[in-house]
Structures are given as C-alpha cells and as structure tokens.
Amino acid sequence: MQSCLIVDDSSVVRKVARRILEDLEMIIDEAEDGQEAFEKCQAEMPDVILLDWNMPVMSGLEFLKRLRAYDGGQKPKVVFCTTENDVGHIAMAMKAGANEYIMKPFDREIIESKFQEIGLS
C-alpha cells in the first residue's frame, strides 16, 4: 500500500481527504502545518503528500521548498490542495516542486483523477 501525508490546518479537510484516500487503499498520516509535516517526513517519507497552501507555523510553499532540498525529499509526489487559484500561485507551486494542483472544495473524483495523473492509485 502507498502512504499519503495530508497536510492541512483544517481538521475537516483532513477528515474528508482521509476518507477518500483510505477508500483508495492508502495508508494515511496527518499534519496540521508545514513544520509538523517536515518532521514527519524526516521520520518516514510518504509516497505522496496532499498539501495545503495557507497554514500557520510554516506555509505549504515553505514546506515544499524545504522538502525538495532535503535528502530523499524528491521522492514523494506532492499535490497542492488550496483555494489559491491564480496562475501565479500555480506557477510558484510547480516551480517549487509540486507535481499537481487541485482546488478546494474537492471531491473523490477530483482526487482520484489527479492521483492517477501522477501515477498513483
């Protein structure tokens, strides 16, 4: 089974994403902010990260830059999941190392489709 780290400061978003991804037979872990996510990645690198943009402590973009610079941090696929929908934000995320980008609110079909596009599920 593949593992997914859901990084979002909203417990509701984490719960919805967890249900969808568990249905796709993934092992799920959660983090409330980029700092907690980075610490979890240092302990055990997931296969994929579903990443929010706007979070306290460390933003999704800061986390992604730090992750990609970390030894082994190129391994996970990263899907940004956010309300930021302008082209500039998308370009920044992709330049920083995101593999895909989805908008909130999302549903099972959107997540499943994006994960298939990046070679998961």
Side-chain angles (χ1 to χ4, degrees):
M1 286 177 93
Q2 293 184 313
S3 59
C4 180
L5 177 60
I6 300 167
V7 187
D8 200 298
D9 56 328
S10 165
S11 61
V12 173
V13 170
R14 290 195 314 270
K15 183 183 279 188
V16 169
R18 173 183 279 276
R19 285 194 182 140
I20 292 168
L21 294 166
E22 284 178 340
D23 283 350
L24 297 176
E25 299 186 355
M26 297 192 94
I27 299 165
I28 306 302
D29 196 4
E30 299 179 16
E32 292 183 23
D33 59 60
Q35 181 63 44
E36 182 184 357
F38 189 72
E39 290 166 5
K40 288 185 179 231
C41 288
Q42 287 176 306
E44 185 174 352
M45 201 61 75
D47 296 306
V48 64
I49 299 169
L50 188 63
L51 181 62
D52 185 24
W53 188 288
N54 296 309
M55 296 178 290
V57 186
M58 182 189 296
S59 75
L61 190 62
E62 289 174 82
F63 163 78
L64 181 56
K65 289 176 180 176
R66 198 162 166 200
L67 174 73
R68 293 304 194 210
Y70 183 73
D71 186 34
Q74 292 297 317
K75 174 193 168 223
K77 302 282 187 181
V78 176
V79 178
F80 252 112
C81 176
T82 183
T83 57
E84 303 291 346
N85 66 352
D86 70 83
V87 176
H89 277 90
I90 295 168
M92 269 194 290
M94 298 314 248
K95 185 177 180 188
N99 300 92
E100 222 7 291
Y101 199 96
I102 60 177
M103 298 302 302
K104 291 177 185 174
F106 56 81
D107 60 19
R108 180 191 169 108
E109 190 175 304
I110 292 167
I111 287 186
E112 204 166 358
S113 143
K114 292 295 183 177
F115 276 41
Q116 285 173 348
E117 285 176 29
I118 61 172
L120 299 164
S121 86

